Amino acid sequence: GCINTLGDQITSSAYLGSDYVINEGTGVNEGVFVLATQNNTTITFNDGSTTVSKTINWSETDQFVITQPLTNIHSTKPIYVWHASSFGCRLNAAQVPALYCNGTDSVSFNRPSNDTFAVSLFTRNGYQNNFTLNGNASLIPGSAFNPVPGTGGSVVSAKIFFTSAQVPAGINQVITNSGDIFGCAIHSASAAGGAGFGYVSEFTSYPYIDAGPATATVCSNSSIVLNGQVGGGNVQAVWSSNAITPPSPFVNGTSALNNIFQAQSLDTLVKPVLIILTTVGPCIQLKDTIVLTVIPEPLVNAGADQVICGNSPFVQLGGSVSLGASTGGWTTSGTGSFSPDTTNMGAVYTASAADT
């Protein structure tokens, strides 16, 4: 038989969550242990084959035997989850980070030896094709991921084994995801040397949001392009505004991060107009605001229509620009010229022979 000593340094309760993903090891006698931090905590284990729900109180523990490749654990209140993973009869254990609002978009690790080595990953569905290992996307293919039971297909996970040629021992390795944060554990084991298991991803996240420039100015007959950015936790956000524009000033709808804000004349009455981007999802809600000044659209007057003779090709202009602008410029469909220049509102237009 095998004798194993299991242990891990656990975090404070501030880093706990209520949803967890368990990726099965390769041996036998594998399980998870949960610890409640509050009374009346209901915990549901779903491995795609069996669903079990139990209710425990503060300081009480429960366990679930792992028999399927992927298991989802959901609780009504924050819990600790400790996973005893195996390689054959060799066991090691680690605290599991919560599924949501934990992790970063990049982790580093070292393969400790040339023993059997694997990486477990989990992320939101739609981002499994964004992984690279040391810049190589083929080493972590999206096809290696499978849906996690109990998540409605919204979360996927994979366990990928690497040869010592693909991941040499003692050399720093970097896994990145260009679209979302993720959880990552490493497994290293041999029948003679025992098993090593631990999470190298963060037990917290670093969410961010950016609506765009802090301030902007636009005419009431114009628009402003929006390029919102969110990440580090929630990956969706909605736009809102105190603008009067009916029914909505957002051309692409409120949920499209890349958008257009279309101003209207009534928006000049709002001082200032606020364009607000707010994250949506299970993680902490963040907001960012653009303070927009909407000025009246320009009032342009080119003057009265004039008729001239070809032998007297000079036209005295008297244009004016007011409200939302103070300057303007003359253009023509003809081939004549403006003197002294096109920006002088009192310029003289000299018609060409082709203008007649």
Side-chain angles (χ1 to χ4, degrees), residues 219-224 243 245 248-251 260-264 267:
C219 289
S220 60
N221 64 338
S222 187
S223 61
I224 178 174
T245 307
S248 170
F250 301 101
V251 174
I260 297 172
F261 180 94
Q262 181 64 58
Q264 299 289 342
D267 294 332

Side-chain angles (χ1 to χ4, degrees), residues 48-133:
S49 177
T50 303
T51 300
V52 177
S53 293
K54 299 180 179 180
T55 299
I56 58 178
N57 294 313
W58 172 79
S59 78
E60 292 181 344
T61 62
D62 199 1
Q63 60 181 340
F64 183 80
V65 177
I66 301 298
T67 61
Q68 300 298 320
L70 292 172
T71 299
N72 170 245
I73 302 175
H74 173 74
S75 61
T76 56
K77 297 173 183 178
I79 57 172
Y80 282 96
V81 175
W82 199 58
H83 179 196
S85 186
S86 62
F87 176 82
C89 66
R90 298 294 185 181
L91 290 171
N92 210 322
Q95 181 184 348
V96 181
L99 168 59
Y100 299 111
C101 318
N102 289 287
T104 58
D105 57 9
S106 177
V107 299
S108 299
F109 64 90
N110 272 280
R111 181 175 186 162
S113 68
N114 287 323
D115 291 342
T116 301
F117 183 81
V119 169
S120 292
L121 298 162
F122 60 81
T123 190
R124 280 172 277 211
N125 195 4
Y127 298 95
Q128 60 267 41
N129 293 308
N130 294 33
F131 281 102
T132 63
L133 173 56

Side-chain angles (χ1 to χ4, degrees), residues 299-351:
L299 178 62
V300 179
N301 184 5
D305 293 344
Q306 300 184 48
V307 178
I308 61 171
C309 295
N311 61 353
S312 180
F314 306 106
V315 180
Q316 178 63 57
L317 303 174
S320 64
V321 178
S322 60
L323 297 181
S326 57
T327 60
W330 295 103
T331 60
T332 179
S333 60
T335 58
S337 61
F338 296 92
S339 178
D341 53 53
T342 59
T343 61
N344 190 310
M345 294 294 98
V348 174
Y349 177 75
T350 302

Side-chain angles (χ1 to χ4, degrees), residues 131-133 135-141 162 166:
F131 281 102
T132 63
L133 173 56
N136 188 340
S138 67
L139 293 176
I140 307 180
F162 295 101
Q166 293 172 316

